[in-house]
Amino acid sequence: MGEQLLSLTGISKGFPGVQALSDVSFSLAAGEVHALMGENGAGKSTLIKILCGVQPPDSGQILIDGKPVTVGSPVEARALGIAPVHQELHLEPYLSVAENIFLGCQPRTRFGTIDWKGMVAAARGILDELGVGLDATAEVGRLSIAERQVVAIARAVSTRARIMIFDEPTSSLTRRETELLLSLIRRLRGQGIGIVYVSHRMEEIFDLCDRVTVFRDGRYVSTGRVAETSLDQLIRAIVGRDIVALPMKATAIPGKTLLDVCGLSKKGLLHDISFSLRSGEIVGLSGLVGSGRTELARTIFGDITPDSGEILVDGTPVARGGPRAAIAAGIGLVPEDRKDQGLVVDLSVMANVGMPSLGVLGRFGVLSRRRERRLAEDYVKRLAIRTPTVGQKAMFLSGGNQQRVVIAKWLATRPKVLIVDEPTRGVDVGAKSEIHALLRSLASEGMAILMISSDLPEVLAVSDRILVMNNGRISGELSGDAVTQEQVMGHAMGVA
């Protein structure tokens, strides 16, 4: 690590009803990867927004190269050499790689027009500098998520950033794509760039980062060298308590069959899918990205119409009437993207929880706000959703609490079958444990749960049975305590 590049001291920031940060500190050296960790709601995102000029601090000081600076806007942040690579990539899908890299700062000819040839050449130079073989003229919308991450990094490099911020950069990547991205970050570190790295994935922190700083409830907890920190120490610092490993497997014999999927097919997506779910069990659905897991969930939920096959809930065929028919039959779906697909973040917790149940929350087409509020308050209490009031907008909740709201809105429909797609993506270690316990509790009450997850340890720990998909087909079914990650991956890759 080189000399200190960035220092934040005494940073505080409050919002109505919430103190997001209280007198926190953070520092970053040149050529360092410094992890910033904490539970959802710990204040990490607020600190990043302050550093990027999106929000001003109420108090405190920011120093770059030892000199006090004011970061009043994202433009000022860029001028200071600060560049974020966000979890939700802000790229234009219909523009080329080169156009996205230089969006807003395109090189110009002496006549004032865009220098298209020079822009493509400059983009190729940056991509070569990063050691990636990406076509600068390719349309971004046709790229994989990992390739889009590279474009976002190249955009940051084009500004000659000295401080780069990565916010959950691997949350949507496969293992191979993750390894490529981490290799790219190491290359940036070798060039002397200081990197703030936000992630809930412990293996990445111990593999990549030099130091780790922990926030909890908006307050600074500790900073230490990763090489001198154990996993247990880090978890205790993050959550303020020991995470007790709960017995996740069912202790009772599963009951009657609640979901039957028979010969489900959709051209190009699914091929003759058949399986069943029983009351009281959690069935894990594993497979590589693109194997058809999410497409299967959407088909069961009625969002994709199959070419052939049948879906039965409690022995009764589900009509071909889209999600409305699936909900009426007793199927709920917690989608993988909670912000874009699971919530209306501009609306309140109360409105989100009641949204699928509007038909029973009013009379003669008029919504009863009293019933809606009572329903939301019941589920906020039952699921321990941390929110000042049910009137709080969903956008102001932490990731783990947003996920609980999505689960609550479907529990309110009293489903017999609940499909959860990546239920713990982007949530911290404490919230992950609580969501696992919630799923097991729901199963013990008689619900049948289909859990889709890319996290193999999660699948192995929580599932009573595991279905593995490969190329749109069920390639294997595994059960028992002796199932290994290698067995699951063998079926996922079609080599078992």
Side-chain angles (χ1 to χ4, degrees):
M1 292 186 293
E3 60 188 16
Q4 185 159 292
L5 184 60
L6 170 72
S7 177
L8 296 91
T9 57
I11 300 292
S12 294
K13 179 66 178 180
F15 300 99
V18 179
Q19 185 63 35
L21 293 172
S22 300
D23 192 29
V24 301
S25 299
F26 183 83
S27 65
L28 179 69
E32 174 190 29
V33 181
H34 192 149
L36 178 58
M37 299 195 76
E39 293 188 278
N40 292 105
K44 307 184 300 296
S45 296
T46 301
L47 187 77
I48 289 172
K49 289 175 182 177
I50 289 172
L51 188 54
C52 294
V54 176
Q55 294 171 344
D58 296 335
S59 60
Q61 190 176 46
I62 302 173
L63 295 91
I64 295 180
D65 294 326
K67 300 176 182 178
V69 298
T70 299
V71 190
S73 69
V75 173
E76 290 183 17
R78 183 164 62 182
L80 290 166
I82 302 169
V85 179
H86 295 290
Q87 182 178 6
E88 287 90 15
L89 299 175
H90 302 295
L91 300 174
E92 296 301 325
Y94 299 109
L95 298 183
S96 70
V97 168
E99 289 172 297
N100 270 279
I101 290 174
F102 291 102
L103 192 62
C105 52
Q106 298 92 335
R108 301 282 175 170
T109 67
R110 60 193 180 94
F111 302 107
T113 58
I114 294 176
D115 182 1
W116 296 101
K117 186 176 179 180
M119 182 170 66
V120 170
R124 285 174 176 157
I126 292 172
L127 294 170
D128 288 343
E129 181 184 334
L130 294 174
V132 292
L134 203 59
D135 182 3
T137 63
E139 188 177 285
V140 164
R142 298 181 181 274
L143 302 181
S144 69
I145 295 294
E147 290 170 329
R148 294 182 196 186
Q149 285 276 18
V150 171
V151 175
I153 294 169
R155 176 190 287 178
V157 170
S158 75
T159 67
R160 298 303 163 191
R162 300 171 60 208
I163 300 166
M164 293 182 65
I165 303 166
F166 287 84
D167 186 6
E168 296 285 353
T170 64
S171 63
S172 300
L173 304 186
T174 65
R175 182 174 297 182
R176 182 176 177 277
E177 290 171 336
T178 295
E179 290 171 356
L180 292 174
L181 179 64
L182 298 187
S183 176
L184 186 54
I185 292 174
R186 292 187 185 98
R187 183 187 290 263
L188 295 170
R189 174 173 59 187
Q191 295 172 3
I193 294 172
I195 294 170
V196 181
Y197 193 81
V198 180
S199 177
H200 294 304
R201 296 187 173 182
M202 293 292 183
E203 65 275 14
E204 294 175 12
I205 302 303
F206 283 94
D207 182 46
L208 177 69
C209 300
D210 302 297
R211 287 192 295 163
V212 56
T213 288
V214 175
F215 286 1
R216 190 191 317 136
D217 298 328
R219 298 182 180 276
Y220 171 86
V221 175
S222 64
T223 297
R225 294 191 60 80
V226 172
E228 299 168 358
T229 305
S230 71
L231 177 60
D232 288 343
Q233 288 172 332
L234 187 52
I235 290 175
R236 280 196 296 271
I238 291 170
V239 302
R241 64 189 187 279
D242 291 328
I243 295 293
V244 179
L246 299 174
M248 285 297 158
K249 302 292 185 181
T251 56
I253 298 174
K256 65 177 181 177
T257 298
L258 289 182
L259 176 71
D260 272 310
V261 175
C262 308
L264 211 58
S265 295
K266 178 69 176 181
K267 187 176 180 179
L269 296 177
L270 304 173
H271 308 284
D272 195 26
I273 300 288
S274 297
F275 68 93
S276 62
L277 291 182
R278 292 178 291 173
S279 167
E281 72 172 347
I282 298 176
V283 173
L285 185 61
S286 188
L288 302 177
V289 173
S291 63
R293 302 171 308 171
T294 295
E295 290 76 12
L296 175 57
R298 291 175 56 199
T299 303
I300 296 171
F301 191 63
D303 191 35
I304 295 175
T305 302
D307 297 327
S308 60
E310 191 174 33
I311 300 165
L312 298 91
V313 174
D314 210 1
T316 302
V318 179
R320 296 280 182 90
R324 187 188 298 270
I327 294 169
I331 301 174
L333 171 63
V334 177
E336 62 176 331
D337 189 334
R338 60 177 171 266
K339 289 186 178 179
D340 287 343
Q341 300 169 344
L343 294 170
V344 180
V345 294
D346 286 330
L347 295 183
S348 67
V349 171
M350 180 173 71
N352 275 283
V353 171
M355 199 170 293
S357 307
L358 295 179
V360 298
L361 291 177
R363 295 183 63 188
F364 309 114
V366 179
L367 176 64
S368 169
R369 294 295 183 188
R370 181 176 57 83
R371 291 182 183 177
E372 184 185 33
R373 177 175 295 275
R374 189 165 54 196
L375 179 74
E377 288 174 344
D378 286 346
Y379 279 97
V380 164
K381 183 178 180 180
R382 180 181 175 188
L383 272 60
I385 299 171
R386 299 183 186 98
T387 178
T389 70
V390 294
Q392 176 77 293
K393 286 187 177 182
M395 69 172 67
F396 295 125
L397 302 186
S398 67
N401 285 301
Q402 287 180 342
Q403 189 72 326
R404 288 187 184 90
V405 172
V406 181
I407 294 173
K409 68 185 276 189
W410 291 112
L411 293 185
T413 67
R414 301 182 182 277
K416 298 175 182 177
V417 176
L418 183 64
I419 304 170
V420 288
D421 194 351
E422 301 288 1
T424 61
R425 173 177 287 170
V427 304
D428 58 79
V429 63
K432 176 180 282 192
S433 177
E434 291 167 359
I435 289 172
H436 290 166
L438 172 61
L439 294 178
R440 177 50 61 198
S441 174
L442 294 172
S444 68
E445 294 171 7
M447 196 176 293
I449 296 175
L450 181 66
M451 183 187 75
I452 302 170
S453 178
S454 302
D455 186 338
L456 283 182
E458 176 175 71
V459 171
L460 293 175
V462 180
S463 306
D464 302 309
R465 288 188 292 133
I466 300 171
L467 301 174
V468 189
M469 291 193 69
N470 170 263
N471 198 27
R473 292 179 169 85
I474 298 289
S475 56
E477 179 176 337
L478 304 167
S479 61
D481 294 335
V483 177
T484 66
Q485 294 190 39
E486 288 75 17
Q487 287 175 307
V488 176
M489 284 302 296
H491 284 286
M493 298 175 70
V495 296

